[in-house]
Amino acid sequence: MKLLLLEDDELLAESLVDSLAGNGYRLDLAGSLKVARALMASEHYELAILDLGLPDGSGLELLAQWRRQGRDLPVLILTARDTWDDKVTGLESGADDYLTKPFHEAELIARIKALLRRRSGNVTQQLVLNGVSLDESGQRVSVEGGPWIELTGTEFLLLRYFMHHPGRVLSKDHLLNQLYTLDQDIAAPNLVEVYIARLRRHLGKSMIQTRRGQGYVLVSH
């Protein structure tokens, strides 16, 4: 799943990229409001992590603009501003959560997972859909209560994205976009086909359907 991080502290940003990558997330980085606006206009993100004090303005201005535009992705504010009125202002401006610096990366990751689970309608550590249970912490899957199957990193990323978007037709380009950040070289175009085939071996051929000329859809019922 691809996230947007708006943070002008390069050392912190690099640390978060590494930490979140280890938990199956891909981050595009923006060090200014201008770059964040451009990325949001051209890319699809599942969640944004937003600092408030940027070189070219306040992150709250950008958040308010996104909400006016109807962008409803979860937004987590990550900032050094720690007074109660700062938190109230951030939440009332449209943020879904607020975490102050310094922070423990484990807490940030837990909050991100909670926001994404809430968005997809799941309230437990496992994503459950149509007999498929995905254990996010263990990166493994179980079908119809059967034994747990360990997933590779890419298998996990792809299945988790499908389970957060059940019943939605997802094109190859869209899925590749979620597996790679802008500064990574995208692999061969048939990468998605290869991993769809692997997931079908784990889940059963009927769980992920091909829509010719459109993409793939995870059956939701």
Side-chain angles (χ1 to χ4, degrees), residues 55-175:
D56 53 347
S58 170
L60 288 179
E61 298 173 4
L62 182 60
L63 174 56
Q65 181 185 42
W66 285 347
R67 295 313 190 212
R68 287 195 303 270
Q69 293 171 344
R71 299 187 185 278
D72 63 350
L73 80 166
V75 173
L76 187 154
I77 289 178
L78 185 64
T79 179
R81 301 179 187 177
D82 59 359
T83 66
W84 68 266
D85 53 328
D86 285 326
K87 296 177 183 178
V88 169
T89 299
L91 293 170
E92 289 187 342
S93 296
D96 298 276
D97 201 355
Y98 195 107
L99 183 61
T100 58
K101 303 173 184 178
F103 60 93
H104 292 286
E105 289 188 354
E107 180 181 3
L108 174 64
I109 292 168
R111 287 174 182 248
I112 289 171
K113 288 181 178 179
L115 288 172
L116 292 173
R117 284 198 306 270
R118 188 184 311 156
R119 181 176 177 81
S120 63
N122 288 279
V123 294
T124 66
Q125 288 286 349
Q126 293 180 12
L127 292 174
V128 181
L129 179 74
N130 200 10
V132 176
S133 299
L134 180 64
D135 176 9
E136 291 191 87
S137 60
Q139 297 194 7
R140 55 186 187 165
V141 66
S142 171
V143 181
E144 301 294 350
W148 289 104
I149 302 169
E150 302 292 330
L151 299 173
T152 67
T154 302
E155 288 172 347
F156 170 70
L157 288 172
L158 197 58
L159 180 55
R160 182 175 60 181
Y161 192 76
F162 270 118
M163 293 187 72
H164 276 281
H165 301 85
R168 176 178 167 186
V169 179
L170 303 169
S171 69
K172 290 181 186 179
D173 288 344
H174 184 91
L175 292 170

Side-chain angles (χ1 to χ4, degrees), residues 185-201:
D185 292 330
I186 293 181
N190 68 343
L191 177 78
V192 170
E193 295 175 357
V194 170
Y195 281 99
I196 291 291
R198 291 187 183 184
L199 289 179
R200 282 172 170 161
R201 286 198 291 269

Side-chain angles (χ1 to χ4, degrees), residues 37 39 140:
R37 288 190 180 98
L39 289 175
R140 55 186 187 165

